[in-house]
Amino acid sequence: MTAYNFGPGHPMAPQRLELTARLAESLGLFGHQHVAVEAPAVASDVELLTVHSAGYVEAVRRVSEDPSTPEEARGLGTEDDPAFAGMHEASARLAGGSLLAADTIISGRAVRAVNFSGGMHHAARERASGFCVYNDVALAIQRLLDGGVQRIVSIDVDAHHGDGTQSIFWNDPRVMTISLHETGLSLFPGTGFANETGGPDAPGTAVNVALPTFTGDAAWLRAFHAVVPQLVGAFQPEVIVSQHGCDSHRDDPLTHLTLSIDGQREAASAVASLAARYCDNRWIATGGGGYDVTGVVPRAWSHLIGMVTQRPVPLSTPVPEAWRTYVRENYGVWAPESMGDDVDVWWRSWEVGYDPADEVDRTIIATRKEIFPLYGLDPWFD
């Protein structure tokens, strides 16, 4: 999986995957009797063509074989997505991980699966974007649909708007895409506002909560719980597919949200609860953004793995000393000592009331006004 490598200095460092796997293993998350770790295959062109165009896949193959011939019109060979030898195979393997997850859900071999190497939510049908070449989230959703699933909710909590996934299912009434992200006024890709609500055949299936810059745990969780559970309950999905980019953390170098590990763990727990309540536990979780390679990503995604495997890691758990020593010896930095950030993530319920002077509340009500009436919900009180 670490072959997905844009080169030295690029924020999407493959080491974050290796460190996450090493930490999760140190915490015993892979050793539970009911947990299987499986190696994904490289997704075939036939599979990739379920959400990407033939011309685009061909372009990725060309650039992969000869990185000296970028195709910037398709987002290949740009500053965000530099061309590299083997780009097609590496990207298609990440996609294969999420396809494997979908297959295990369809077959009933598993009820939950996680591909923390995935979450490439910016890739569109015809174009690479934002460090993403093939959209594994969309591929997993499409595989589920093709396998007979009738309704799917995609929940995206990355600091960046899940624009690629939204665009692919913009006019599909079977898929609701929900994205909570830093406002496009201050962060790439500049989209994801409340008035983006879905195509003519699927009104209300694109849901966007564009959070103000510097939003922290309490306000983020207030927004999540004021929008997501109500709409998941109204849509009644059979499976939830989620994207857990952890670049919303206060230490992330590329974004401006100020969440803690504790808040991100709470978000994963909330998604897990929704899957249990509405989907008979059927849930596929993916990774995504996250650019504090040693301090944030491994802890955040180990918590995610714990939630998926229904063996949550307590926030007070010490980070295994052997893992911290490995980080110090190989990366020259001191890793955190605890699996949490020791913060209070108490959040104010929407039921307490709407505050028009609060910027986050104005964001919440904008989304609720756009979407809730389409499902028979009251934007003020439900």
Side-chain angles (χ1 to χ4, degrees):
M1 302 299 258
T2 56
Y4 193 80
N5 186 352
F6 290 114
H10 191 282
M12 186 75 90
Q15 291 83 0
R16 64 201 195 119
L17 306 181
E18 185 258 342
L19 287 172
T20 297
R22 185 178 289 270
L23 178 57
E25 188 166 25
S26 297
L27 291 165
L29 292 171
F30 297 153
H32 296 299
Q33 187 174 0
H34 68 293
V35 174
V37 180
E38 298 189 9
V42 173
S44 69
D45 284 9
V46 171
E47 291 171 322
L48 295 171
L49 292 176
T50 60
V51 303
H52 293 291
S53 72
Y56 175 64
V57 174
E58 290 167 5
V60 176
R61 280 189 172 279
R62 285 196 298 271
V63 172
S64 180
E65 292 167 4
D66 184 1
S68 67
T69 58
E71 298 203 18
E72 294 191 14
R74 293 189 182 272
L76 302 167
T78 62
E79 183 178 355
D80 275 1
D81 297 272
F84 64 92
M87 173 186 265
H88 166 78
E89 291 78 8
S91 305
R93 190 181 298 280
L94 296 193
S98 294
L99 288 169
L100 175 59
D103 287 340
T104 64
I105 302 298
I106 293 167
S107 69
R109 286 198 300 122
V111 290
R112 293 180 169 186
V114 57
N115 175 18
F116 60 82
S117 302
M120 303 295 107
H121 63 161
H122 292 307
R125 175 174 165 77
E126 300 272 2
R127 195 174 192 278
S129 177
F131 315 160
C132 305
V133 178
Y134 292 134
N135 192 321
D136 64 286
V137 180
L139 283 159
I141 292 171
Q142 189 61 53
R143 177 65 64 89
L144 292 169
L145 293 172
D146 293 343
V149 177
Q150 298 296 311
R151 292 179 311 284
I152 299 166
V153 168
S154 166
I155 301 175
D156 189 319
V157 301
D158 194 289
H160 300 85
H161 176 223
D163 58 332
T165 309
Q166 174 181 285
S167 69
I168 289 169
F169 297 105
W170 180 252
N171 204 35
D172 192 328
R174 301 171 296 174
V175 180
M176 173 181 280
T177 60
I178 305 175
S179 179
L180 293 90
H181 48 267
E182 181 180 336
T183 174
L185 295 176
S186 59
L187 191 68
F188 174 91
T191 55
F193 296 97
N195 62 354
E196 298 171 34
T197 59
D201 297 328
T205 59
V207 181
N208 288 289
V209 184
L211 295 160
T213 309
F214 307 121
T215 295
D217 289 319
W220 193 99
L221 289 166
R222 174 170 166 81
F224 181 98
H225 287 285
V227 172
V228 181
Q230 296 87 335
L231 291 175
V232 172
F235 198 73
Q236 293 286 309
E238 298 170 37
V239 183
I240 289 174
V241 178
S242 56
Q243 196 270 18
H244 294 264
C246 54
D247 46 5
S248 59
H249 194 275
R250 63 196 182 197
D251 292 339
D252 194 273
L254 297 190
T255 73
H256 313 99
L257 298 180
T258 58
L259 273 67
S260 65
I261 291 289
D262 310 46
Q264 294 175 333
R265 179 185 184 278
E266 183 66 25
S269 176
V271 175
S273 295
L274 291 171
R277 180 174 181 182
Y278 295 107
C279 306
D280 293 327
N281 255 338
R282 299 204 297 176
W283 173 30
I284 296 171
T286 67
Y291 309 102
D292 185 330
V293 173
T294 57
V296 173
V297 179
R299 290 190 297 157
W301 287 350
S302 290
H303 280 301
L304 176 64
I305 294 166
M307 291 298 172
V308 172
T309 60
Q310 302 187 79
R311 296 293 187 275
V313 178
L315 287 164
S316 59
T317 303
V319 174
E321 190 57 40
W323 186 86
R324 297 185 70 242
T325 299
Y326 178 84
V327 172
R328 187 166 64 253
E329 291 177 349
N330 288 273
Y331 295 88
V333 297
W334 294 90
E337 296 181 3
S338 172
M339 285 298 293
D341 287 336
D342 193 24
V343 302
D344 182 0
V345 297
W346 179 86
W347 49 274
R348 188 168 56 95
S349 169
W350 185 256
E351 295 173 358
V352 173
Y354 166 65
D355 180 2
D358 185 276
E359 193 174 5
V360 171
D361 275 20
R362 294 199 299 271
T363 295
I364 293 169
I365 198 63
T367 300
R368 287 172 65 108
K369 281 183 173 180
E370 289 282 356
I371 304 294
F372 275 35
L374 299 174
Y375 293 93
L377 299 171
D378 188 311
W380 298 99
F381 301 111
D382 281 330

